[in-house]
Amino acid sequence: MSFRWVVCALLLFSTTVNYMDRQVIGYLKEFFCTSADKGGFGWTNSDFANVTAAFTAFYAGMTIIAGLVIDKIGTKLGLAISLLIWSIFGILNAFAGSLVWMHIIVRSAFGIGEAGNFPASIKTVAEWFPKRERALATGIFNSGSNLGAMIGALFVPWCLIHFGEQAGWKMAYILTGLAGLPWLIFWFWLYDTPARKAGLSKTEYDYIHSDDEEPSTAEPTGKVPWKQLLGYRQTWAFFFGKFLTDGVWWFYLFWLPDYLKKQFGMTKHEVMLPTFIVYGIAIVGSIGGGSIPMALMKRGL
């Protein structure tokens, strides 16, 4: 098998862990919002929304900074540091107690770590894949976001049932936080940029760069100011596309289990099937959508 697909598999795994870790809180909402006299935290919907909003705000803001840092230190170290930060603070969620402000602080730091996954992964794809395969490779590793959510749908309810709610919510955070650490071993062992990767065949190296522009026809390289980037219609098309779709996606991640329970009276077990269907369809869309640009480019578009 070509080594670039091993790299894609590593990115798939990190993205799966990334979303599994962030998905935990969605399946704990019912417990957090249960009154204290019934064993819960007594949070309101607004309390829960504030915790998730703090995570999302830090995640969004730090994505740009994470991209800048990863450009400086490289994808290998950048993605490893990102996973280490979000794993540590994912585990620390278990020790935040019932105080909303403590969860906001820990969840914000957790968002800082998680922000590095996609900038690093997308840059890794750019380093390891020719242009005609990049959308497919991105679609494959991005499907890890759905796999992580599906695993969370099974794992978190199991923790609450197996360990009991008082210990189960903590174990859900701890065990999912630990899940990414073995990945670091394989990442440092297997990954490097194509130019530095020992044992990479010349055939694959040439293929990775097969659709690079020739020096004679390429545009001059150099720093591109942000003003210039914001002047491209493509930038704003992508920005508004994400703005319109991500609200729905984040609703699925944080509110779907609770919505299904309250709107349709489903139990912890019953919410598994509809959430599986939602994320299963998203996997098909992610990989299928990623294959479309490659098919169009093969036709000369």
Side-chain angles (χ1 to χ4, degrees), residues 65-123:
I65 298 173
L68 292 171
V69 171
I70 289 164
D71 280 339
K72 295 282 186 185
I73 67 176
T75 49
K76 183 172 187 174
L77 187 58
L79 186 51
I81 292 174
S82 177
L83 183 136
L84 191 60
I85 292 173
W86 92 59
S87 295
I88 290 171
F89 283 98
I91 293 169
L92 289 178
N93 270 282
F95 303 97
S98 62
L99 297 173
V100 174
W101 65 269
M102 277 294 293
H103 281 266
I104 288 175
I105 292 172
V106 175
R107 207 69 185 166
S108 298
F110 175 73
I112 292 172
E114 289 228 322
N117 183 74
F118 279 90
S121 296
I122 290 168
K123 182 166 184 173

